Amino acid sequence: MEPTSKMLFHILKRFGKAAIAVELTAVGGLFYVFHDINTGGPEARSKWDDRVPFLIDAFYNMTGDERVIAHRINRSRNDDN
């Protein structure tokens, strides 16, 4: 192996494990959030919509489940009154 190849291999060996750990953590976090959105009821959906609204939009686009965005409709009705 050339010196540059050895250096590149060493860098990938060192940081590859960290990159895999970060990806696994992200997948685990998304699983937790989507599970909470799916099973947690309107309170959980409202909580996650306040924190990360794009995840609620993504979940709605994936599932087409109207219950996911029903809390937004209820909020807008309450704001009108």
Side-chain angles (χ1 to χ4, degrees):
M1 282 189 171
E2 296 178 23
T4 55
S5 300
K6 287 182 182 179
M7 188 171 69
L8 179 63
F9 178 74
H10 179 70
I11 290 171
L12 289 176
K13 184 178 173 184
R14 172 178 246 171
F15 294 109
K17 293 176 186 176
I20 291 171
V22 167
E23 289 178 18
L24 288 175
T25 302
V27 167
L30 282 175
F31 175 79
Y32 171 75
V33 170
F34 283 162
H35 178 75
D36 198 27
I37 290 169
N38 197 28
T39 61
E43 301 85 20
R45 293 179 189 119
S46 181
K47 173 184 75 172
W48 288 113
D49 195 25
D50 290 340
R51 294 179 182 177
V52 279
F54 61 89
L55 286 180
I56 294 291
D57 295 334
F59 190 83
Y60 173 69
N61 287 330
M62 287 187 293
T63 62
D65 189 356
E66 294 288 331
R67 295 176 301 163
V68 175
I69 58 169
H71 67 278
R72 289 181 180 172
I73 296 167
N74 292 337
R75 277 190 201 166
S76 65
R77 287 182 186 160
N78 291 337
D79 290 343
D80 291 340
N81 293 333

